[in-house]
Amino acid sequence: MSKQAITLTVNGVVRQALVEPNQTLTSLLRDELGLTGTKHGCGVGDCGCCTVILDGETVNSCLVLALQAQGREVLTIEGLASGGELHPLQRAFVDAGAIQCGFCTPGMILSAKALLDVIPQPSREEITKGLSGNLCRCTGYEKIVEAVSDAAAKMSEA
C-alpha cells in the first residue's frame, strides 16, 4: 500500500501528511503530528478515550481513517486552551478533582465541549447521556458530571 497525501486542519492549523490507507486518525494525530492528548485505548470505539471533534461532531478517532479527515477540521484536547489559559471545561475538571489517572480526561472533555456547544445548560441526565460514550476506569463519574455542570454555569456567566 502506498501512502497518500492529505490536508486537514488540526486545532486551527492547516497540516499536511502522508498516510497509509488503513491508518487511523488516532495514529495520525499521535504518531505523525505528536498530539498525544488523544489516547489510544480499546481501538474498537468502546472506551471513548480517543474522542476528537471532527467538523463539530465527536468521533472515536480509532474508528476514523486518516484519509477520511481529508479537507476537514479536527479539534483535539491540545486545541482547547487559548492564550495560555485553560478552557473553562479543563479548569472545571481540575477544580472539581475530576481528573484521576487522566487517561479518559481528554475524551471526556471533548465530549463535554460538544455537548455544551449544543446544550449550554444541560441537566444532569443530559450530561450523563452526553458522556455515555466515554468510560472512566477510575469510576470518577460524579466529579466529572460536577465539573461539566460547573463549567456550563461559568461559561453562561461569561
Side-chain angles (χ1 to χ4, degrees), residues 79-133:
L80 271 187
S82 176
E85 296 289 326
L86 292 177
H87 184 278
L89 275 164
Q90 293 170 307
R91 172 56 50 208
F93 269 64
V94 171
D95 291 346
I99 300 171
Q100 293 187 24
C101 81
F103 197 79
C104 71
T105 304
M108 289 279 187
I109 289 176
L110 289 170
S111 290
K113 183 189 182 311
L115 172 67
L116 298 183
D117 286 348
V118 176
I119 306 172
Q121 292 293 313
S123 67
R124 180 177 179 75
E125 291 74 28
E126 289 168 326
I127 293 170
T128 301
K129 183 178 177 184
L131 300 178
S132 63

Side-chain angles (χ1 to χ4, degrees), residues 1 35 55-56 63 70 78 81 88 92-95 108 112 114 117-118 121 128 130 133 136 144 147 151 153 157:
M1 292 189 276
L35 299 169
D55 288 342
L63 299 179
Q70 163 63 33
E78 290 91 345
F93 269 64
V94 171
D95 291 346
M108 289 279 187
D117 286 348
V118 176
Q121 292 293 313
T128 301
C136 173
I144 291 169
E157 295 170 0

Side-chain angles (χ1 to χ4, degrees), residues 25-85:
L25 182 55
T26 303
S27 171
L28 172 65
L29 293 169
R30 290 183 56 81
D31 304 333
E32 307 292 331
L33 302 180
L35 299 169
T36 57
T38 303
K39 304 301 182 202
H40 179 76
C42 67
V44 294
D46 284 340
C47 72
C49 70
C50 65
T51 299
V52 297
I53 297 178
L54 181 64
D55 288 342
E57 302 286 329
T58 58
V59 297
N60 291 317
S61 63
C62 70
L63 299 179
V64 176
L65 293 174
L67 286 171
Q68 293 174 299
Q70 163 63 33
R72 300 175 78 181
E73 292 191 26
V74 179
L75 178 66
T76 71
I77 194 69
E78 290 91 345
L80 271 187
S82 176
E85 296 289 326

Side-chain angles (χ1 to χ4, degrees), residues 127-154:
I127 293 170
T128 301
K129 183 178 177 184
L131 300 178
S132 63
N134 298 82
L135 302 178
C136 173
R137 298 174 189 171
C138 303
T139 67
Y141 294 104
E142 286 298 321
K143 295 291 186 183
I144 291 169
V145 171
E146 178 185 323
V148 174
S149 181
D150 290 350
K154 288 181 182 168

